[in-house]
Amino acid sequence: MKDVYGQDIENQMRQLYESFSEKDRRRYAAIEAYKLGHGGVAYIADLFGCHPDTITQGKRDLENLPADEAAGRVRKKGADARMLAKASRASSRRSKLKSRRKRLDRRSATVRSGQTLD
């Protein structure tokens, strides 16, 4: 399924997709895939750069729409990234300390055994 939409329409669809929240992106992608029928999920996943499972989840979201448990909830953009960066820095420090300790332990073990370091 190639070139279902023209290049201009595809660009507008991508811009619209990027303007939505995560939940709305899934649903929009699912609607577009429904419209195309067979092969629509793969085409839309490729067009939007999302995983086909995202579209499948969007289809489930649409089926449960009247009873939407996540109504009104939207993730804050960048909140998780800041938390991951903090965790990453902390784990990086731990990793550096751990490798330094290993290096020192190896040096002391070779000194005790009488071997020379090359």
Side-chain angles (χ1 to χ4, degrees):
M1 184 175 283
K2 282 245 186 220
D3 300 324
V4 174
Y5 299 108
Q7 190 65 34
D8 291 339
I9 299 296
E10 286 184 352
N11 288 336
Q12 289 176 346
M13 289 171 67
R14 279 190 212 98
Q15 288 175 352
L16 180 62
Y17 177 80
E18 291 297 322
S19 72
F20 288 141
S21 68
E22 179 183 356
K23 176 176 52 173
D24 292 334
R25 285 180 185 180
R26 284 194 309 261
R27 292 174 179 179
Y28 175 60
I31 288 172
E32 290 297 332
Y34 272 133
K35 289 189 328 188
L36 295 175
H38 182 73
V41 171
Y43 177 80
I44 295 298
D46 185 49
L47 177 67
F48 293 149
C50 66
H51 197 278
D53 290 348
T54 301
I55 297 172
T56 304
Q57 178 61 44
K59 287 181 176 183
R60 277 186 242 129
D61 290 351
L62 291 172
E63 290 168 1
N64 298 323
L65 204 53
D68 185 11
E69 295 175 8
R73 287 190 295 173
V74 177
R75 284 189 195 180
K76 293 180 183 176
K77 291 188 178 188
D80 289 337
R82 286 191 303 269
M83 290 171 53
L84 286 173
K86 286 181 184 177
S88 175
R89 283 191 294 263
S91 68
S92 177
R93 280 189 223 121
R94 283 191 299 269
S95 173
K96 286 177 185 175
L97 287 172
K98 195 174 187 180
S99 64
R100 186 172 181 213
R101 281 190 212 118
K102 283 183 181 179
R103 205 171 40 248
L104 291 173
D105 287 345
R106 274 188 257 134
R107 285 183 184 166
S108 64
T110 56
V111 168
R112 277 186 249 133
S113 68
Q115 296 176 351
T116 58
L117 296 174
D118 294 4

